[in-house]
Amino acid sequence: MTRIRRLPDHLVNKIAAGEVVERPASAVKELVENAVDAAARSILVDLRDGGAALLRVADDGVGIAAEELPLALERHATSKLARDADLEAIATLGFRGEALAAICAVSRFGVTSRARGAAEGLRLAGEGGEVTQRLTVPAEEGTSVEVRDLFFNTPARLKFLKSPAAELAQSLRALAQLALAHPAIQLRVTNNGKGALTAPAAKDVRERAGAVWGWDVAEHGVQVSGLASPPDLTRGGRDDIVLVVNGRPVRDPGLLQATLDAYRPLLPRDRFPLVVLAIALPEADVDVNVHPTKAWVRFRHPRLVYEMVASAAQRALKRPAVVPGLDVGTGGLPELRGAGLAAVAEQPALFGEAPGEARPLFGRVLGQVQDTFVVSASDAEVFFLDQHVAHERVIFERLRRELERGAPASQALLFPEPVDLGPAGRALLERWRAPLERLGFAFEGFGGDAIVVSVVPALLKGDEPKRLLQAAVEELGGPKAGEPAVDRALAFVACRAAVKANMPLAREEMERLIAELGATETPYFCPHGRPIVSRVSLADIRRELKRNW
């Protein structure tokens, strides 16, 4: 029988290091957060091999008094909590107290600090958590922590470190998030002696985003308690969705999902936006004492927070400014006033009636190019609009309004048609049966080998039922199968019903299409996230002609 015994301190420290310091990026994050909490105005981070060989964090904060510095290297020692009530309303980034001790336990370290107003500073150095050097030294006000040979005494953890480039990427990702969360603090990062990130003190998050992500990204953003990129400016991963709660970058699944929900159905498949979203709320309404690294938080009223995030982002993405360079004024877009779908089994017109007083968002129609692109112009710009995706957007919003008022028009087939989709296809279609039936489909025979289609949406009555259901299975079973079912089904119907490329349009049809598009809530992207319009500035054309003259 194995006896229970108390672990020695050196082993306890290594276990704590495993909880707090998973890799160099973890140590960098903890040290920079301590610098932020120390009211630093400038932070310098120096890395070697992404932080595995060396990481040094120097700040100009309040510093640590010489008599308290040895205590700062001990576990559960902190200046950030004084009483039990403080744990219920965490107002700082670091609070657990063992981060610095855990880092020192698995490295060769040096800590130098001079408190503001003190005549000189104190330096402590050692390895494996043991202080072997104590020196009174001249030093700048603030604190500098130097960590060398991380995990030198824990070979098992050392061997799991990735390449220097991969570790650098992780460290820079954590630092970029902190830079976005605290734009007023100057942050400079070097790696192997070369500049890796420079973020001068900024007046707001837009200016800071320009330094971190590039000015082209910052200027494309829409203010939503931060910045959100337009749907055509995306990345292949979620790393550039930065969520900040009371100044603390967090990885909260609910906030992430609320942010992504705002982009549906605008995002292309497997693409993610660039977002820095700052949320401020009373400290007592958020619990950050959930995870050793403080990366996770818990809200007292999570549903309220998530709904506020999703609503704010949705409103922002509907603004005309979500597409840069298009000046459409400051007023809201007119409401969609296209012709409603009749309740009779009659094929609706290809385009609805032109909105009576709709603002000419895309100017005056000039014509059609290659029977695929509608060309229009305003006094300042020429627009090229993809007629298929433009019509998708118009139909999508028209159908959504029809759903809000009742059911879209449907057409009963003269002869109900059986369609054999195979077991997987039948199972998928059964899962999507409810939203499809809301849009005007009717099915029978889900228990047998074939599904019988008896009614289809009036918009799709010209489609062969077999091809229609095969397309539905292919589309609805794709990578975005987890998104809201009704929007996904609406997008499918809109795509099938929309005018196709290589189809000539009469001038009146083009004018009605462009007018209806300008009256939609999101006139720049189709329901699948594809951009609808490309524009050319007439001023740019004039400059180019003069340059070539």
Side-chain angles (χ1 to χ4, degrees):
M1 184 177 185
T2 303
R3 297 180 61 187
I4 297 174
R5 55 186 176 273
R6 188 182 301 276
L7 295 175
D9 288 344
H10 74 278
L11 186 53
V12 171
N13 287 339
K14 289 183 179 180
I15 292 173
E19 293 176 349
V20 178
V21 187
E22 301 169 342
R23 60 195 311 173
S26 307
V28 169
K29 173 179 176 293
E30 295 286 349
L31 296 177
V32 172
E33 285 182 345
N34 279 343
V36 173
D37 285 340
R41 297 179 295 268
S42 176
I43 303 173
L44 174 62
V45 180
D46 185 22
L47 305 174
R48 189 181 302 159
D49 294 342
L54 166 72
L55 63 92
R56 183 188 298 112
V57 176
D59 67 69
D60 63 351
V62 296
I64 305 172
E67 62 272 18
E68 295 179 0
L69 187 57
L71 189 60
L73 271 61
E74 295 184 12
R75 294 189 66 217
H76 304 300
T78 180
S79 63
K80 303 170 186 179
L81 297 176
R83 58 189 187 277
D84 291 354
D86 292 341
L87 198 59
E88 302 299 323
I90 300 297
T92 55
L93 298 181
F95 65 93
R96 298 189 74 224
E98 70 265 36
L100 188 55
I103 293 169
C104 293
V106 289
S107 68
R108 297 184 172 94
F109 64 90
V111 182
T112 304
S113 189
R114 176 187 163 199
R116 286 182 185 169
E120 53 192 4
L122 179 66
R123 174 177 172 80
L124 301 179
E127 64 178 41
E130 296 293 327
V131 176
T132 59
Q133 183 185 74
R134 177 186 176 118
L135 296 172
T136 300
V137 295
E140 298 291 333
E141 289 184 347
T143 302
S144 174
V145 181
E146 184 178 288
V147 177
R148 295 181 181 271
D149 303 327
L150 193 64
F151 303 133
F152 80 99
N153 55 351
T154 53
R157 186 166 293 275
L158 181 63
K159 72 179 182 181
F160 280 100
L161 291 184
K162 300 186 182 300
S163 68
E167 295 300 338
L168 175 63
Q170 287 290 334
S171 295
L172 290 177
R173 187 169 295 123
L175 291 168
Q177 291 182 355
L178 285 166
L180 291 165
H182 300 277
I185 298 175
Q186 175 179 296
L187 178 66
R188 290 195 300 122
V189 184
T190 64
N191 182 66
N192 295 339
K194 297 181 179 179
L197 173 63
T198 300
K203 63 182 179 182
D204 54 30
V205 71
R206 181 182 295 274
E207 189 175 295
R208 173 52 59 88
V212 174
W213 282 339
W215 289 107
D216 56 335
V217 175
E219 292 305 317
H220 287 179
V222 178
Q223 192 77 23
V224 192
S225 297
L227 293 176
S229 69
D232 62 337
L233 184 60
T234 60
R235 296 286 190 265
R238 308 180 184 203
D239 293 333
D240 288 326
I241 301 177
V242 180
L243 305 171
V244 181
V245 176
N246 288 353
R248 181 191 313 278
V250 300
R251 297 194 304 268
D252 183 87
L255 287 179
L256 176 63
Q257 193 59 50
T259 305
L260 292 176
D261 285 347
Y263 279 84
R264 290 176 173 147
L266 302 177
L267 284 177
R269 294 175 180 176
D270 303 321
R271 302 294 295 178
F272 299 90
L274 289 83
V275 176
V276 51
L277 184 63
I279 301 167
L281 69 167
E283 285 86 0
D285 287 342
V286 56
D287 180 10
V288 298
N289 194 11
V290 177
H291 189 271
T293 65
K294 290 98 67 185
W296 306 92
V297 294
R298 183 166 51 205
F299 297 105
R300 178 170 293 183
H301 306 293
R303 185 176 183 85
L304 175 64
V305 175
Y306 300 156
E307 287 179 353
M308 289 178 64
V309 168
S311 176
Q314 286 169 353
R315 287 197 304 271
L317 290 170
K318 289 178 181 178
R319 297 174 188 168
V322 76
V323 172
L326 298 183
D327 182 9
V328 296
T330 57
L333 292 178
E335 288 190 357
L336 177 64
R337 292 189 290 168
L341 300 181
V344 296
E346 192 172 76
Q347 177 71 31
L350 182 62
F351 304 106
E353 296 176 6
E357 300 296 330
R359 177 182 293 129
L361 185 62
F362 299 112
R364 179 173 54 88
V365 171
L366 301 180
Q368 193 180 22
V369 175
Q370 296 182 343
D371 293 339
T372 297
F373 301 99
V374 177
V375 183
S376 63
S378 68
D379 292 339
E381 295 168 310
V382 178
F383 305 97
F384 297 84
L385 301 103
D386 185 318
Q387 63 192 37
H388 172 67
V389 292
H391 200 204
E392 271 191 74
R393 169 52 61 186
V394 169
I395 294 174
F396 178 86
E397 295 198 12
R398 187 192 301 173
L399 285 174
R400 190 160 57 186
R401 287 176 175 263
E402 285 294 314
L403 276 180
E404 292 172 357
R405 292 196 293 262
S410 59
Q411 169 69 58
L413 300 179
L414 185 60
F415 300 104
E417 185 166 339
V419 179
D420 188 359
L421 296 173
R426 287 198 303 274
L428 179 66
L429 200 62
E430 187 166 11
R431 182 159 66 88
W432 283 87
R433 181 176 183 176
L436 288 174
E437 287 183 340
R438 283 190 64 189
L439 292 177
F441 285 93
F443 306 103
E444 301 170 8
F446 271 96
D449 293 334
I451 295 173
V452 177
V453 187
S454 56
V455 180
V456 298
L459 282 169
L460 303 180
K461 75 170 191 174
D463 261 344
E464 181 185 345
K466 180 177 181 179
R467 292 179 56 189
L468 189 59
L469 289 197
Q470 287 173 340
V473 168
E474 181 179 343
E475 169 68 18
L476 300 177
K480 295 176 82 173
E483 73 176 37
V486 173
D487 280 356
R488 190 77 187 278
L490 276 172
F492 165 72
V493 173
C495 182
R496 297 291 296 188
V499 62
K500 302 301 186 285
N502 301 312
M503 178 177 178
L505 301 178
R507 186 179 189 84
E508 182 183 359
E509 290 176 324
M510 287 187 278
E511 289 173 347
R512 288 184 177 179
L513 173 62
I514 298 309
E516 277 206 323
L517 177 66
T520 60
E521 291 183 346
T522 311
Y524 305 108
F525 304 93
C526 85
H528 297 94
R530 289 174 55 192
I532 292 172
V533 58
S534 177
R535 38 82 67 174
V536 179
S537 166
L538 292 176
D540 290 344
I541 295 175
R542 293 188 187 99
R543 280 194 295 269
E544 183 67 21
L545 291 174
K546 288 181 179 178
R547 190 162 45 241
N548 294 330
W549 177 250

